[in-house]
Amino acid sequence: MNKLRYSSYFLLISVFTFIAIFFFVVQNSYNNLMKPINAVSQNPILKPINPKMDIGILDKINNRLFYTDPAQ
């Protein structure tokens, strides 16, 4: 009777170990799959450019003063 009890514990521990290893492998595979996608989505160089231009800055550029060299 005692031998049956040890074998049931061994079976229970082996099933839980298999499930833990299986989830560990699946999680690592998913992380390896998603890592490049997350790296691209967080890259600031690949953000879309805002096409709306601030017209006030163009007016400031046109209204700036130009200084000439009096020695010439």
Side-chain angles (χ1 to χ4, degrees):
M1 191 85 175
N2 199 8
K3 185 176 182 181
L4 178 63
R5 187 171 178 169
Y6 287 136
S7 65
S8 64
Y9 287 140
F10 180 72
L11 180 64
L12 184 66
I13 291 172
S14 63
V15 167
F16 284 145
T17 304
F18 175 76
I19 291 172
I21 291 172
F22 177 76
F23 280 121
F24 178 74
V25 169
V26 168
Q27 183 181 11
N28 281 344
S29 298
Y30 182 75
N31 286 339
N32 288 338
L33 178 69
M34 296 304 290
K35 192 183 301 183
I37 295 171
N38 291 335
V40 168
S41 67
Q42 294 175 356
N43 192 347
I45 296 174
L46 299 176
K47 300 280 183 195
I49 298 173
N50 187 4
K52 295 185 180 185
M53 186 183 302
D54 188 10
I55 303 299
I57 294 175
L58 292 176
D59 292 337
K60 287 181 182 179
I61 292 172
N62 286 333
N63 293 334
R64 69 182 175 197
L65 297 174
F66 291 101
Y67 296 103
T68 59
D69 189 14
Q72 291 181 348

